[in-house]
Amino acid sequence: MSRDQKLKERWELIVSKLSHQFAEGDVIDLDAIIYLIGVQELGQLHRDFKKEQKVDLMHIAICKLLAPYGYYELDFVDSDGWPHYKVKSQLPHLKAGEQSVLMKEAIVNYFLEIEFIE
C-alpha cells in the first residue's frame, strides 16, 4: 500500500472517530481537529474558552503538531498551564493543498503517538 493511501485511510479513521465522539454524526473538519488537539494539549478539557483563547488553542496544536518536523520547540508552560513554543525554523512556503497534506500527516502522526489509532 502506498504511503499516500495509508495516510488517507488513517485520516479518514481519525475523522470518523472524532466525528462520532464530538460532532454527533456530523463530519468534523481539519480546523475542528486542530482545535481539539489544542484543548487536549492544554489539558483543561471541561471549560469554556473565549474566541481569542480558541485561536491560541489552535496555535498550541499547530506548534505541537509541527514540533517533530523541527519547526517549533516547547519553550515553557506558564503559570496558567498554557504551553508556549518558540520557532526553530521557518515553515516553507507551501501551496494550500501542500499545507493541508502536511497538517493531515502531522495529525495522523499525533494520533498514532497517543495510540488513538493504529
Side-chain angles (χ1 to χ4, degrees):
M1 181 180 307
S2 75
R3 179 180 165 270
D4 291 343
Q5 183 61 31
K6 191 70 172 170
L7 174 63
K8 183 176 187 260
E9 287 178 7
R10 287 176 169 162
W11 174 254
E12 289 172 357
L13 177 60
I14 290 166
V15 169
S16 174
K17 288 180 79 169
L18 291 177
S19 295
H20 178 73
Q21 191 171 352
F22 293 104
E24 300 176 1
D26 291 336
V27 177
I28 197 166
D29 67 8
L30 179 65
D31 287 341
I33 293 171
I34 291 170
Y35 171 77
L36 288 172
I37 291 170
V39 173
Q40 172 75 20
E41 287 303 307
L42 180 61
Q44 299 177 16
L45 306 178
H46 301 289
R47 65 172 275 205
D48 293 327
F49 296 100
K50 296 176 183 167
K51 184 177 181 178
E52 182 179 308
Q53 290 173 317
K54 290 178 180 179
V55 172
D56 292 341
L57 287 167
M58 292 181 77
H59 178 72
I60 289 169
I62 290 167
C63 292
K64 173 67 177 179
L65 291 167
L66 296 180
Y69 295 84
Y71 297 116
Y72 295 96
E73 177 178 70
L74 180 62
D75 194 16
F76 67 96
V77 176
D78 69 21
S79 60
D80 293 324
W82 288 75
H84 294 262
Y85 287 81
K86 62 182 176 183
V87 176
K88 285 183 66 178
S89 68
Q90 293 296 324
L91 288 165
H93 293 286
L94 300 172
K95 297 176 186 169
E98 294 169 329
Q99 288 177 4
S100 178
V101 170
L102 174 61
M103 290 310 299
K104 287 177 180 179
E105 180 181 279
I107 288 167
V108 165
N109 289 335
Y110 174 85
F111 282 112
L112 284 167
E113 185 177 312
I114 66 168
E115 298 180 350
F116 183 71
I117 62 166
E118 294 180 7

